[in-house]
Amino acid sequence: MLMVLSHPVRIVVIFVALALFVCGCASSLVTNPPRSATEQLLLSGSADRAMASVNLGIFSGRTAYLDLTYFDSYDSKYAEGEIRDALFRAGALLVNNATNADVIIEARSGALAIDNDTILFGIPNMSVPIPLSVPIEIPEVAFYKTQTQHSYAKFALLAYVNQSRAHIYSSGPLVGKAYHDYHKILFISWVATDVPEKAKTEKKAERYKIWSPQYDLQNMPPAAAPTKVGVPTPLNFH
């Protein structure tokens, strides 16, 4: 029995056949680290600002040992590196052993964390239970919404003479702040931030930069004499 298909049906059959012929399956594995880049940039940014304005010039030319026994915070390694950087920029000569230091500098941390706040005027995302069926997810409808992330860093330094243990210096609280705020009114959203790496334009990034690279070329060791490559060593037959 020969089945004659109408023109519209033939079009549908051809379309389905082509779809089956050209269809394929592709997948890619997308992974994300447990912490966001914004969180890490906020913490490191507040640490940068905490050490940006401190004057450590009294340690210039002095051998010093940085004692981190009392320094305990989130992302402590970056913060410790920022303190070391500030001391080196001031001219301190940091050593790896307290025995060889004229000055002991103790660092401590009072805070290095983020406060998060969310304000919503509208309908929050919710799940409505349905008897004998799966719940219905109702998406968020925000007439106005703001999500704020403000990071705070608080460090302090204490310095004393290694041999006599006499007090030399107390920095007091060294405070740094950074923020990243998300705002939304109906379908319009925007971000306000002072994190340079999150700025949308280079001009805004420059406005929030703490300091630029510094060079002390007079401290650069002399370059090694270049070695000649490919020149045979003369033979001595005497």
Side-chain angles (χ1 to χ4, degrees), residues 119-237:
I119 298 175
L120 172 66
F121 292 100
I123 302 174
N125 182 22
M126 64 179 66
S127 179
V128 179
I130 303 297
L132 305 178
S133 180
V134 296
I136 296 178
E137 295 293 331
I138 298 178
E140 177 184 277
V141 179
F143 300 107
Y144 172 77
K145 181 179 181 180
T146 178
Q147 293 175 309
T148 61
Q149 293 178 283
H150 290 200
S151 67
Y152 300 90
K154 177 185 176 181
F155 307 145
L157 302 177
L158 164 67
Y160 52 87
V161 180
N162 188 16
Q163 298 300 324
S164 67
R165 319 301 279 186
H167 175 267
I168 298 175
Y169 170 80
S170 291
S171 68
L174 305 174
V175 179
K177 303 176 183 179
Y179 69 88
H180 185 83
D181 300 340
Y182 170 82
H183 303 278
K184 182 179 181 181
I185 298 178
L186 295 178
F187 303 106
I188 302 174
S189 62
W190 69 95
V191 171
T193 182
D194 66 350
V195 178
E197 296 83 359
K198 299 291 289 185
K200 292 185 177 181
T201 64
E202 187 64 28
K203 185 177 180 180
K204 288 186 177 180
E206 287 291 334
R207 184 193 310 170
Y208 297 121
K209 281 185 179 178
I210 309 303
W211 49 273
S212 299
Q214 301 177 12
Y215 303 93
D216 296 308
L217 298 181
Q218 68 272 14
N219 297 329
M220 183 72 71
T227 57
K228 296 181 180 181
V229 180
V231 178
T233 304
L235 301 178
N236 188 355
F237 295 99

Side-chain angles (χ1 to χ4, degrees), residues 29-90:
L29 179 63
V30 179
T31 61
N32 291 304
R35 299 175 58 197
S36 69
T38 300
E39 175 194 346
Q40 296 179 62
L41 290 172
L42 281 168
L43 292 173
S44 59
S46 58
D48 291 340
R49 291 188 169 102
M51 300 304 301
S53 59
V54 61
N55 185 358
L56 302 174
I58 63 172
F59 303 113
S60 179
R62 304 286 185 176
T63 56
Y65 174 74
L66 180 60
D67 186 353
L68 298 168
T69 303
Y70 304 102
F71 195 95
D72 184 19
S73 74
Y74 208 47
D75 283 4
S76 60
K77 292 302 181 183
Y78 183 88
E80 292 168 7
E82 184 61 34
I83 295 172
R84 289 176 57 84
D85 196 326
L87 287 166
F88 271 118
R89 293 198 308 268

